Amino acid sequence: MTRKARSSVVEDDDGRMDSQQPRGDGPRRRRAFSAPEKLAHLSAYEQACEHGDGGGYLRREGLYSSLISEWRKQRDAGVLAGKAPGEKVGRLSAEQTEIARLTRENARLSKRLDTTEAALEIMGKAHALLESLSERADSDEQRKKR
């Protein structure tokens, strides 16, 4: 039994592919995920990222980061919410994309506002403390002059 190699595909004399080669069992069907599965993968991935194992989760599940990005956009646009199992989820419309972008921007700006408000509160307290110390120092100087 001899083998011929043609363009990286190894075949036996009878024309069948060698089962030791990748995909020797034939082409695999493309996986499709329902909306609840996408949401479950998103939440599991985000939990794994909190523990520093996001890449490991993707490898274990055989997923790509581009899928996660696309599913996040769909979730933020509200496309995944309320979909029945098996119901198709297509590409986002221009309006849904804009809603998702604005939702992300709103969350980012809210976080920035919270940070700014906390900084202003700290600055106000620091100012009051310095003013109090300054008044005390002034009153101590007046007592020493007498």
Side-chain angles (χ1 to χ4, degrees):
M1 171 150 102
T2 61
R3 293 183 177 198
K4 318 178 247 183
R6 267 188 286 149
S7 67
S8 75
V9 175
V10 178
E11 296 179 0
D12 291 338
D13 284 337
D14 58 0
R16 290 183 299 168
M17 288 183 62
D18 185 6
S19 63
Q20 294 175 352
Q21 294 294 321
R23 302 248 174 128
D25 56 347
R28 292 197 179 108
R29 190 163 181 229
R30 186 175 179 172
R31 292 189 300 173
F33 297 95
S34 66
E37 288 172 331
K38 290 178 183 181
L39 291 171
H41 279 299
L42 278 173
S43 65
Y45 173 74
E46 289 168 353
Q47 286 177 351
C49 284
E50 288 176 6
H51 302 320
D53 192 34
Y57 177 80
L58 292 177
R59 284 188 296 277
R60 280 190 304 277
E61 297 296 325
L63 299 173
Y64 294 100
S65 61
S66 59
L67 278 176
I68 297 294
S69 299
E70 187 67 28
W71 294 347
R72 230 185 241 136
K73 287 177 190 175
Q74 291 175 349
R75 178 192 63 195
D76 292 346
V79 175
L80 296 179
K83 294 286 181 181
E87 192 174 346
K88 286 202 170 193
V89 177
R91 286 209 164 273
L92 300 177
S93 68
E95 185 178 270
Q96 290 170 328
T97 303
E98 182 68 8
I99 289 170
R101 185 189 67 79
L102 291 173
T103 303
R104 286 190 307 272
E105 184 178 358
N106 188 9
R108 182 182 60 82
L109 291 174
S110 293
K111 185 176 179 181
R112 187 172 177 189
L113 177 63
D114 291 342
T115 304
T116 304
E117 287 175 344
L120 283 174
E121 185 177 328
I122 292 169
M123 291 296 292
K125 290 179 180 180
H127 179 72
L129 176 64
L130 290 174
E131 204 168 281
S132 169
L133 291 173
S134 175
E135 288 173 2
R136 236 185 263 158
D138 288 344
S139 65
D140 288 345
E141 280 182 24
Q142 288 176 358
R143 285 185 199 157
K144 286 181 183 178
K145 287 183 182 178
R146 291 184 191 172

